[in-house]
Amino acid sequence: MRFILTGMVFAAVASAQQPPPTFYKEVLPILQSHCQECHRPGEIAPMALMTYEQTRPWAKAIKANVLSGKMPPWPADAHFGKFANDRSLTRPEIDTLAAWADSGAAEGRAKDAPPARTFVDGWNIPKPDMVVRMPEAFAVPAKGAVEYQYIVIPSGFTEDKWVQAIEVRPSNRAVVHHAVVFLREPGSRWLAGAKTGVPFAPEVSSAQERMMNTGGGGSDILTTYTPGMVPDQWQPGQARLIKAGTDFVFQIHYTANGTAGPDQTSMGLVFAKEPPKQRIVSVNAANRMFRIPAGDPDYSAQATYTVRAPMTLVNLFPHLHLRGKAFQYDVIYPDGRTDTILKVDKWDLNWQLSYTLAQPLTLEPGTRIRATAWWDNSANNPANPDPKAEVGWGEQSWEEMLVAFMNVAVDPNVSLRNGPR
Ligand code: HEC
């Protein structure tokens, strides 16, 4: 008891001596490193947090949102895995923002401010060497389901190109639920005959054919866009290959939100400055067979990917829809050891993020990656569009998916035919 009392006295003295945090000295550095990527003009957040004048009115809301863990968005469970793009706040950072709000949100002295963080206007990657833009806008209706739109855009590359960083930017973020860019290589028959540059929903004669289109007809995924995702930027020496003659195929899931309007998405590419030592490719574990019973609050299913060629696991992108509840990646080594490398325990379709491993994992053939998904199909899930429905695989948000996407680094000369896929 004495010890505890002494500790409390020290704590009280320490906080009494510490002057309350000020905007320039303690708060701005946190905003720069954790908030401004989204809270600046032209980005996804509703208000900018760049200056004192912009931030001051939000002091109480900032405190509430960081204490509840709602901001910055980072739904991963901190007990599993370490991620290079982890944007969550440390306890002292949370305490600083809360203390700032509680002590009257003082401005402090401008000379204490860190240098302003610089951004490339309009991009979160270095200035792109090439920008690929939908040649025509797609007119998103005010309401109703919109089928996935496909836009074939020839790269025009006459030689192979290696790409170091990629960012997809919708012109109308409010209606773009997600976008995937596939690399349709020369010789692919996928969406053969499609008119280039014009958004269209392919005609399909079976559920299988629709599923094949959803998956890109066997094409590699160049990148995926979801709101709030940190754009892909590979380490020096790692890059994605875009072969000469490749067509980009944008697959965009538009969602009507009450206001009709056009979208014309673009993609910025930064080419590698040096010859790559490793090629980045995407692989995935998917389960298309599950049926989630109506009303089930905790239904679970799994999917497994087996490693066939040596590879390094670089990042993870779990994908579920509205009934998603949690998602976990486990690595099962050939000797039977199992490691949980990611657990997203607060699944939120608004924050589908990609998780870049702080320590990339070298995987030997025979290793398995097991993805486990949990869904809440009960009325207690506020996002559930219909607790009375049994739900299986489908493209729309009121249907479900279970896909564990992964980017892996492989030897650039390895044949992908029997390898990563
Ligand atoms: C990945 C992008 C992103 C990051 C990073 C981010 N925010 Fe946000 N923030 C948003 C978006 C989008 C909204 C509005 C939608 C929502 O509330 O989910 C929002 C909403 C908020 C709100 C609530 C506004 C309201 O209307 O009540 C506050 C406060 C806030 N953010 C503070 C912060 C702070 C502080 C940080 C950094 C510690 C931060 N955010 C980091 C995207 C982001």
Side-chain angles (χ1 to χ4, degrees), residues 31 34-35 37-39 44-47 49 58 61-62 65-66 70-73 87 89 97 228 351:
L31 301 181
H34 290 86
C35 318
E37 60 178 290
C38 301
H39 287 273
I44 63 174
M47 75 288 191
L49 297 176
W58 294 99
I62 289 172
N65 279 270
V66 300
K70 204 174 150 238
M71 287 288 144
R87 51 159 85 99
L89 297 173
L97 294 176
W351 296 120

Side-chain angles (χ1 to χ4, degrees), residues 321-332:
H321 289 168
L322 288 165
R323 292 172 177 88
K325 182 176 177 181
F327 202 110
Q328 180 170 322
Y329 283 70
D330 294 299
V331 181
I332 305 167

Side-chain angles (χ1 to χ4, degrees), residues 29-71:
I30 303 177
L31 301 181
Q32 285 182 347
S33 54
H34 290 86
C35 318
Q36 291 180 355
E37 60 178 290
C38 301
H39 287 273
R40 71 179 204 268
E43 297 300 321
I44 63 174
M47 75 288 191
L49 297 176
M50 304 293 284
T51 65
Y52 177 70
E53 287 67 32
Q54 289 165 346
T55 310
R56 173 73 188 81
W58 294 99
K60 290 271 183 281
I62 289 172
K63 177 187 167 187
N65 279 270
V66 300
L67 281 178
S68 70
K70 204 174 150 238
M71 287 288 144

Side-chain angles (χ1 to χ4, degrees), residues 13-320:
V13 170
S15 69
Q17 282 176 345
Q18 217 156 61
T22 67
F23 178 77
Y24 290 118
K25 195 160 183 211
E26 286 90 3
V27 172
L28 187 54
I30 303 177
L31 301 181
Q32 285 182 347
S33 54
H34 290 86
C35 318
Q36 291 180 355
E37 60 178 290
C38 301
H39 287 273
R40 71 179 204 268
E43 297 300 321
I44 63 174
M47 75 288 191
L49 297 176
M50 304 293 284
T51 65
Y52 177 70
E53 287 67 32
Q54 289 165 346
T55 310
R56 173 73 188 81
W58 294 99
K60 290 271 183 281
I62 289 172
K63 177 187 167 187
N65 279 270
V66 300
L67 281 178
S68 70
K70 204 174 150 238
M71 287 288 144
W74 187 257
D77 180 333
H79 295 96
F80 303 100
K82 291 248 176 308
F83 303 97
N85 58 346
D86 185 350
R87 51 159 85 99
S88 60
L89 297 173
T90 62
R91 192 69 235 177
E93 288 167 334
I94 295 173
D95 292 344
T96 298
L97 294 176
W100 182 63
D102 289 341
S103 59
E107 181 169 10
R109 294 174 303 186
K111 71 177 175 54
D112 290 335
R117 182 171 167 191
T118 54
F119 294 96
V120 181
D121 208 19
W123 298 97
N124 283 302
I125 54 172
K127 192 172 179 319
D129 297 309
M130 178 177 175
V131 177
V132 181
R133 189 159 189 244
M134 281 166 58
E136 278 182 22
F138 177 69
V140 185
K143 44 185 202 280
V146 187
E147 288 211 66
Y148 281 17
Q149 296 296 310
Y150 292 77
I151 305 100
V152 177
I153 307 176
S155 67
F157 294 165
T158 50
E159 53 180 41
D160 291 357
K161 291 277 193 187
W162 291 89
V163 178
Q164 181 89 55
I166 310 156
E167 182 171 353
V168 171
R169 296 189 65 99
S171 70
N172 184 354
R173 286 208 190 83
V175 293
V176 177
H177 177 278
H178 80 247
V180 181
V181 181
F182 294 102
L183 296 174
R184 187 174 75 171
E185 295 190 348
S188 163
R189 300 293 305 147
W190 182 47
L191 302 179
K195 196 157 166 222
T196 61
V198 185
F200 72 106
E203 272 183 38
V204 291
S205 50
S206 66
Q208 275 68 22
E209 200 179 340
R210 180 182 295 278
M211 247 182 226
M212 193 191 77
N213 287 336
T214 312
S219 309
D220 194 13
I221 296 175
L222 176 64
T223 195
T224 302
Y225 162 86
T226 57
M229 170 115 86
V230 178
D232 290 333
Q233 255 195 83
W234 311 111
Q235 295 299 315
Q238 294 180 334
R240 266 196 193 280
L241 174 62
I242 304 179
K243 289 201 181 135
T246 292
D247 295 323
F248 300 113
V249 180
F250 288 23
Q251 175 199 68
I252 307 187
H253 180 187
Y254 289 107
T255 39
N257 71 347
T259 312
D263 170 69
Q264 202 167 357
T265 290
S266 8
M267 170 174 70
L269 300 175
V270 178
F271 296 126
K273 304 288 179 287
E274 52 189 292
K277 295 186 193 67
Q278 285 186 306
R279 174 177 175 185
I280 302 284
V281 292
S282 72
V283 298
N284 67 74
N287 178 338
R288 297 181 178 81
M289 308 304 289
F290 61 84
R291 301 295 305 172
I292 309 167
D296 194 326
D298 196 28
Y299 188 76
S300 170
Q302 295 188 320
T304 303
Y305 173 80
T306 303
V307 176
R308 294 205 177 80
M311 57 175 64
T312 307
L313 186 57
V314 178
N315 74 349
L316 311 172
F317 175 65
H319 183 65
L320 304 172

